[in-house]
């Protein structure tokens, strides 16, 4: 186990490089797995999700108030009609949303959207990567106690450009307000969707929205969750009979999200494969170099009666020492690197039990790869050949 440190500078460099490779490898594998899990979870959710918007409305609906207050077609009456369809017993959840543009020409991203929803409903931001749920990165989401309160959850871009919060980590140490229609709202959380357009909105309780903007009965969107995939077709057929609503099933709506998340997962997987190759080449090169440097020593040991097994154990111990110390270094590096990778990839990468298992597993694999060639070479090396090489 002392053999790696015959050349101390080289040993330190190798261990440091291998620690970096193993830590990045473990975190990128975790990122790839997280991306695949998000895709699977998203597809499982959207298979039973149906979107309703105002008939003939552009895009998300609610842009500019297509009908005057009191004459709206897509409204709370539509909500009542949805709940009374023949297959209403298969509706697991019905969520209504109402939108209001919030335009500030003094900002680079002038167009934002204020979205009213019932606390507990999914934070469905317009243009978000994860079609159903925005992810809270600071503070908290709206709760049942906030139903009539002037509180808001803002997007990461909105927080940075309009509230001066560049880092969500500092949010807990400050208390910020956002002014909507002349009224102050206390910011209780920051969310992210992974793209700037989706991160430039404000979510507030729907009752507070109605008290603030007086939209009458108007709604912008209704999302219906069916209790099982088997009942989706029947529910869609019922909803299409509502003349004031367009029905949009979600598989086509999430194609962009699937492509984006799939691309991130694939990139993480390719990067992990590249790092694995780099790590394997590094440890194998070091061990081959060690074998060549010690040919005369191995020949002398064998000439003095050392068995092949004893020589092999030396190389196994050396490889295990290098990889083991690299694993310890990787554990120290992975914790701070996890947060950085999570922000860069916008995937839930964290230093947890799975990351530790991946790091230790990577160290074992590299130790095995590193010892393979030297073990074979040492087993085949004869004392006479060793002396001849060094002559």
């Amino acid at each position: 186990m002392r053999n790696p440190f015959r050349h101390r500078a080289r040993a330190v460099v190798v261990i440091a490089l291998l620690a970096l490779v193993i830590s990045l490898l473990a975190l990128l594998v975790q990122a790839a797995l997280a991306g695949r899990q998000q895709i699977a979870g998203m597809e499982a959710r959207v298979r039973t999700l149906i979107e309703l918007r105002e008939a003939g409305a552009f895009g998300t609906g609610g842009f500019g108030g297509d009908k005057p207050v009191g004459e709206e077609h897509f409204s709370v009456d539509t909500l009542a009609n949805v709940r009374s369809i023949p297959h209403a017993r298969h509706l697991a959840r019905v969520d209504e949303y109402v939108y209001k543009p919030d335009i500030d020409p003094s900002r680079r991203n002038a167009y934002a959207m204020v979205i009213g929803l019932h606390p507990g409903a999914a934070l469905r931001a317009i243009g978000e990567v994860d079609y159903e749920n925005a992810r809270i990165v600071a503070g908290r989401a709206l709760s049942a106690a906030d139903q009539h309160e002037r509180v808001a959850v803002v997007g990461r871009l909105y927080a940075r450009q309009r509230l001066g919060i560049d880092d969500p980590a500092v949010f807990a140490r400050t208390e910020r307000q956002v002014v909507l229609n002349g009224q102050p709202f206390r910011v209780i959380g920051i969310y992210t969707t992974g793209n700037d357009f989706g991160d430039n909105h404000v979510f507030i309780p729907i009752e507070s929205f109605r008290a603030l903007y007086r939209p009458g009965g108007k709604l912008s969107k209704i999302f219906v969750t069916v209790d099982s995939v088997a009942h989706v077709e029947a529910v869609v057929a019922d909803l299409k009979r509502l003349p004031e609503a367009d029905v949009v099933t979600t598989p086509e709506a999430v194609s962009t999200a699937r492509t984006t998340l799939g691309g991130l997962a694939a990139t993480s997987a390719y990067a992990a494969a590249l790092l694995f190759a780099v790590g394997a080449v590094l440890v194998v090169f070091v061990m081959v170099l060690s074998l060549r440097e010690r040919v005369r020593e191995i020949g002398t040991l064998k000439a003095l009666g050392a068995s092949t097994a004893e020589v092999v154990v030396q190389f196994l111990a050396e490889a295990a020492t290098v990889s083991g110390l690299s694993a310890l270094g990787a554990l120290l590096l992975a914790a701070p690197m996890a947060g950085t990778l999570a922000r860069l990839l916008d995937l839930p990468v964290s230093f947890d039990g799975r990351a530790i298992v991946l790091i230790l597993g990577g160290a074992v694999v590299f130790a095995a790869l590193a010892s393979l060639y030297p073990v074979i070479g040492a087993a085949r090396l004869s004392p006479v050949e060793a002396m001849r090489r060094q002559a």
Side-chain angles (χ1 to χ4, degrees), residues 18 35 39-40 44 87 151 167 209 215 231 251 277 294 352:
L18 191 56
I39 293 172
H87 290 88
V151 293
D167 184 359
F209 184 103
H231 301 136
R294 293 164 55 198
D352 53 15

Side-chain angles (χ1 to χ4, degrees), residues 186-204:
R186 180 168 56 91
V187 178
I188 61 172
I190 298 175
Y191 74 86
T192 185
T193 64
N195 66 79
D196 284 351
F197 190 78
D199 284 355
N200 199 31
H201 304 320
V202 181
F203 290 97
I204 64 175

Side-chain angles (χ1 to χ4, degrees), residues 337-372:
M337 289 171 57
T340 302
L341 272 179
R343 289 191 294 272
L344 289 175
L345 299 177
D346 197 42
L347 289 171
V349 182
S350 60
F351 179 64
D352 53 15
R354 183 165 63 178
I356 293 174
V357 170
L358 288 170
I359 287 172
L360 296 179
V364 171
V365 171
F366 283 137
L369 289 174
S371 60
L372 183 61

